[in-house]
Amino acid sequence: RVITADPTELLPAKDKRFEDQSRQQLCVRVKNLEWCKQQALSLEQDVNVLWDKELERRGIVASSAEPQDVAETEEHEQEENGPLGPLLINAQMALDHGMTTLVEYMGTKLVFFDLRDDFVARLYYPTPGSFRLSQLLVQDGGLDTILTEVSGELLAHEGFGDLLWSVLEKVLVNILSAMEWCLIGEHMGEIQRFSVANESSVITEDLVALKGYFVQKDEEGNANGLDEEIVAHKTARLELIANTLLSEETDRLMEIYFERSTPEQSDKEVVTKQNIAGVLARRPDKAAREFIKAHKKRMKGQLS
């Protein structure tokens, strides 16, 4: 493996189309969608109030009609009232989908594009102990500066606080994805990492730091950031990977790989052949290298 002093030099050139999308512009767009959604709900409520008044008026008019005419009027009203229901439901669904998609895009772009030097190139390169996640969580660092900027944009006007929590949650999810990718995923082009079993404690400590960063507890233990249970749920998978895979010695990982109960891959399980292959591909010891070489055909598609 070739180790370079500055892995950012191995990154491809940035796409200008994404560089031209400022965070301020994205914040304005997502706020516009939220505002439109709120207006659609308000309009629906106003229409429903007016419709109820109209039904009440028709009831008064119908009271002077013949009995048969009254029955026909009530039946007609029931037919009209049913379809009225959530008048703007389709518009609300479209706005909600657009807002959710844009929030996901913002969280992904922030981690994998705006901060790609840190989260794609430097993180855990060439080993977990060489450049830790905790180094990226410092006050006034790149991540902190950008999140402060986004927070200021989304909280500049009342009514958009929930958007901020949604964006922060997506940023957290993408940071965890970057960590997992660096540790057991496919190598990122020429940026190749390696690690040994005793470095799993680095990951565990980084996850503790990550949870603290996003929960933001005060001196009294109150969370001022994301909900502690949400953060714990999001980080649980990587904690399991650190404790059950990254901490195991090479010989034991090879044994688990060949156990009949070990699945090829799974969305729910972390102990899979695919994940074990990712760990072994980063081990520098002779046993791991020979294992990868001997089983390269079987593991094709699981390794970079």
Side-chain angles (χ1 to χ4, degrees), residues 15 30 32 59 99 117 126 151 182 192 224 229:
D15 191 320
V30 77
N32 284 342
M99 189 171 62
D117 286 0
S151 299
C182 291
Q192 299 191 15
N224 296 308
E229 291 186 5

Side-chain angles (χ1 to χ4, degrees), residues 60-121:
I60 295 174
V61 172
S63 62
S64 60
E66 296 296 327
Q68 184 176 355
D69 295 333
V70 171
E72 291 176 354
T73 301
E74 291 177 349
E75 182 179 354
H76 179 65
E77 288 177 353
Q78 290 175 357
E79 290 175 355
E80 288 191 329
N81 189 49
L84 182 66
L87 181 65
L88 301 175
I89 186 64
N90 290 334
Q92 293 169 23
M93 289 176 63
L95 289 166
D96 187 70
H97 176 72
M99 189 171 62
T100 300
T101 301
L102 186 51
V103 166
E104 291 179 352
Y105 175 78
M106 290 173 65
T108 302
K109 181 176 181 292
L110 193 154
V111 174
F112 290 105
F113 187 84
D114 297 346
L115 293 171
R116 70 171 191 165
D117 286 0
D118 287 335
F119 289 101
V120 176

Side-chain angles (χ1 to χ4, degrees), residues 128-138 141 206:
S130 301
F131 197 98
R132 301 179 55 164
L133 174 69
S134 55
Q135 295 174 242
L136 303 177
L137 305 178
V138 295
D206 276 352

Side-chain angles (χ1 to χ4, degrees), residues 47-198:
V47 170
N48 283 334
V49 169
L50 293 174
W51 180 247
D52 289 341
K53 290 181 178 180
E54 174 61 15
L55 290 179
E56 183 178 355
R57 186 192 67 80
R58 292 183 184 184
I60 295 174
V61 172
S63 62
S64 60
E66 296 296 327
Q68 184 176 355
D69 295 333
V70 171
E72 291 176 354
T73 301
E74 291 177 349
E75 182 179 354
H76 179 65
E77 288 177 353
Q78 290 175 357
E79 290 175 355
E80 288 191 329
N81 189 49
L84 182 66
L87 181 65
L88 301 175
I89 186 64
N90 290 334
Q92 293 169 23
M93 289 176 63
L95 289 166
D96 187 70
H97 176 72
M99 189 171 62
T100 300
T101 301
L102 186 51
V103 166
E104 291 179 352
Y105 175 78
M106 290 173 65
T108 302
K109 181 176 181 292
L110 193 154
V111 174
F112 290 105
F113 187 84
D114 297 346
L115 293 171
R116 70 171 191 165
D117 286 0
D118 287 335
F119 289 101
V120 176
R122 297 192 182 103
L123 180 62
Y124 298 147
Y125 180 87
T127 67
S130 301
F131 197 98
R132 301 179 55 164
L133 174 69
S134 55
Q135 295 174 242
L136 303 177
L137 305 178
V138 295
Q139 186 175 2
D140 297 328
L143 175 65
D144 200 60
T145 299
I146 286 180
L147 291 184
T148 299
E149 176 190 341
V150 171
S151 299
E153 289 292 338
L154 294 179
L155 298 180
H157 302 91
E158 293 184 3
F160 302 104
D162 288 344
L163 280 178
L164 174 60
W165 303 126
S166 297
V167 171
L168 290 177
E169 186 175 328
K170 293 304 177 184
V171 170
L172 169 62
V173 168
N174 281 286
I175 289 176
L176 290 166
S177 295
M179 292 174 68
E180 183 172 336
W181 198 350
C182 291
L183 294 167
I184 65 172
E186 294 183 1
H187 289 301
M188 300 177 183
E190 297 182 33
I191 302 176
Q192 299 191 15
R193 298 167 169 85
F194 60 91
S195 62
V196 294
N198 60 15

